[in-house]
Amino acid sequence: MIKAYIRAVGMYVPENVVKNEELPRELNTSDEWIRQRTGVFERRYASPGDRTSDLAKRAVDNMLERGEVLADEIDCIIFATLSPDFFFPGAGVFLQEKLGWADRHIPCYDIRQQCSGFVYGLQMAQAFVQTGIYKNVLLAGAEIHSNALDFSERGRAVTVLFGDGAGVLVVSPSKDSKSEILSVEIHADGAGALNGIHMKLHDIGQRPVIYYDPSDFNANADLYPDMPASRNLFANAVRRMTEVSLSLLARLNLSVSDIDWVVPHQANIRINKSVVEHLGISDDKVLYNVHKYGNTTAATIPLLLAEYSENNTIKRGDLLLTPAFGSGFTWGAALIRY
């Protein structure tokens, strides 16, 4: 069977830096409160008028500038996001057109696994390449959260966490075993769909599908993301990311000592520190950028890959573990020989 590897990476974060102390007073929070509970010091917010596909396009431009892959080699797009440009069509076709690839008619897939979107998309890309369906699959994870956050005290738990950004990569056939996506494992538990972060704005069970009185504080709550205050969410994230990581390692007869870097989804620093503690991995093997960018959902892992490969922390041949947990509930992990 053809082997697949991560051939190229790229990233983009908006220039607008929003520090904790610069968040609106209406949130009724503080820099100390946010840092202690989330590990977030600051985040990036997109410029007015930007859409999610714009951020992804800039991340692709960054990747192409590195010269590791050519634009005309890419024959498929997978776009992972919870914040598409519009309710439909998906963001993939907008990205294709903005890149100037529309006349090539390459297929575009849109997936909605939120914080687990990268891992789900990576499994798809790996399968496409290994079976020979496509040769060079562009996987994009991008989000604009800032335009849909509740900046009142009601939205504090969600708003302090999230930022905007994009990370992309290309999965291609591997020429040798030095670089290879070894395995990806993913899961879901629909019983947690409304227990984790969610947004009911587009409720197809309503007629009309969107109708809220903006002056009614209770009714307009469904306009914004909601995250029930529950220890169950934290415990689920820690348990599931630990379980899937150990399952992957056992499947490949590897141990935690074989891992060079843990490249986890950047949801909350306390979750990640608890996961690596349960795995028995030293914290100096764990990569973070949540303090700079907040939670960028589907973009967090590819942002880490791009940032830490650019500064030569992650090197070719390193063994990477990429656990993620998201709303749905969805979760998974990949073992990658980078």
Side-chain angles (χ1 to χ4, degrees):
M1 178 183 287
I2 299 170
K3 296 179 180 179
Y5 84 116
I6 296 175
R7 178 177 175 183
V9 295
M11 63 176 285
Y12 172 77
V13 290
E15 295 180 1
N16 183 23
V17 178
V18 180
K19 298 181 181 296
N20 290 339
E21 56 267 29
E22 295 173 327
L23 290 169
R25 290 183 179 179
E26 288 78 5
L27 284 172
N28 191 24
T29 187
S30 68
D31 176 54
E32 181 182 8
W33 188 93
I34 298 170
R35 288 187 184 219
Q36 288 181 350
R37 287 162 177 77
T38 70
V40 179
F41 297 2
E42 61 189 38
R43 72 285 294 143
R44 304 295 181 96
Y45 283 175
S47 300
D50 270 348
R51 294 192 172 95
T52 305
S53 61
D54 293 312
L55 273 58
K57 193 265 184 186
R58 293 167 197 154
V60 174
D61 289 341
N62 172 257
M63 178 187 69
L64 294 175
E65 287 170 2
R66 301 179 187 217
E68 296 167 327
V69 65
L70 300 176
D72 60 8
E73 294 181 275
I74 295 170
D75 54 359
C76 176
I77 294 172
I78 301 173
F79 202 127
T81 185
L82 68 73
S83 54
D85 294 19
F86 303 100
F87 186 46
F88 67 86
V93 292
F94 294 108
L95 175 60
Q96 183 213 63
E97 192 275 332
K98 288 173 182 177
L99 288 166
W101 301 350
D103 60 347
R104 291 168 50 202
H105 301 163
I106 64 175
C108 301
Y109 295 83
D110 290 83
I111 61 174
R112 301 287 297 276
Q113 279 72 40
Q114 297 65 248
C115 295
S116 303
F118 167 79
V119 180
Y120 270 71
L122 188 67
Q123 187 184 67
M124 287 180 63
Q126 178 192 29
F128 284 157
V129 170
Q130 287 184 336
T131 54
I133 297 174
Y134 305 113
K135 291 184 178 179
N136 297 286
V137 179
L138 171 66
L139 172 58
E143 306 288 356
I144 293 182
H145 292 296
S146 57
N147 292 345
L149 296 174
D150 183 352
F151 287 95
S152 71
E153 186 173 354
R154 175 183 61 187
R156 177 175 56 197
V158 173
T159 298
V160 300
L161 286 170
F162 289 93
D164 306 339
V168 300
L169 56 82
V170 169
V171 175
S172 302
S174 178
K175 297 177 182 178
D176 54 54
S177 58
K178 294 180 180 178
S179 294
E180 178 186 356
I181 300 169
L182 297 174
S183 187
V184 183
E185 182 176 328
I186 56 176
H187 299 276
D189 176 5
L194 297 181
N195 292 323
I197 188 167
H198 62 276
M199 189 165 78
K200 295 181 178 179
L201 176 60
H202 298 283
D203 183 351
I204 205 66
Q206 290 195 149
R207 184 176 297 176
V209 65
I210 300 176
Y211 176 76
Y212 298 106
D213 180 353
S215 65
D216 185 331
F217 194 69
N218 291 319
N220 68 34
D222 287 349
L223 288 167
Y224 301 105
D226 183 31
M227 184 168 62
S230 171
R231 290 188 58 83
N232 181 51
L233 177 62
F234 186 99
N236 255 291
V238 173
R239 182 170 71 252
R240 298 308 187 188
M241 286 199 286
T242 302
E243 286 175 351
V244 73
S245 297
L246 292 174
S247 175
L248 267 180
L249 289 166
R251 183 190 305 169
L252 297 175
N253 293 316
L254 295 170
S255 70
V256 293
S257 62
D258 294 308
I259 296 170
D260 293 299
W261 299 109
V262 181
V263 187
H265 167 56
Q266 303 289 288
N268 180 310
I269 199 166
R270 293 189 301 131
I271 290 175
N272 288 346
K273 286 184 178 295
S274 186
V275 170
V276 297
E277 181 181 346
H278 280 76
L279 289 172
I281 296 175
S282 172
D283 195 55
D284 61 8
K285 285 190 172 185
V286 187
L287 301 181
Y288 297 102
N289 60 17
V290 68
H291 59 291
K292 296 191 295 184
Y293 306 134
N295 181 351
T296 56
T297 313
T300 62
I301 295 176
L303 273 172
L304 281 168
L305 289 173
E307 182 172 8
Y308 282 95
S309 62
E310 177 71 14
N311 67 21
N312 210 34
T313 299
I314 296 176
K315 300 177 179 64
R316 285 294 180 187
D318 284 353
L319 183 64
L320 312 180
L321 173 67
T322 67
F325 182 88
S327 64
F329 294 130
T330 60
W331 66 95
L335 275 169
I336 301 164
R337 182 70 67 185
Y338 191 73

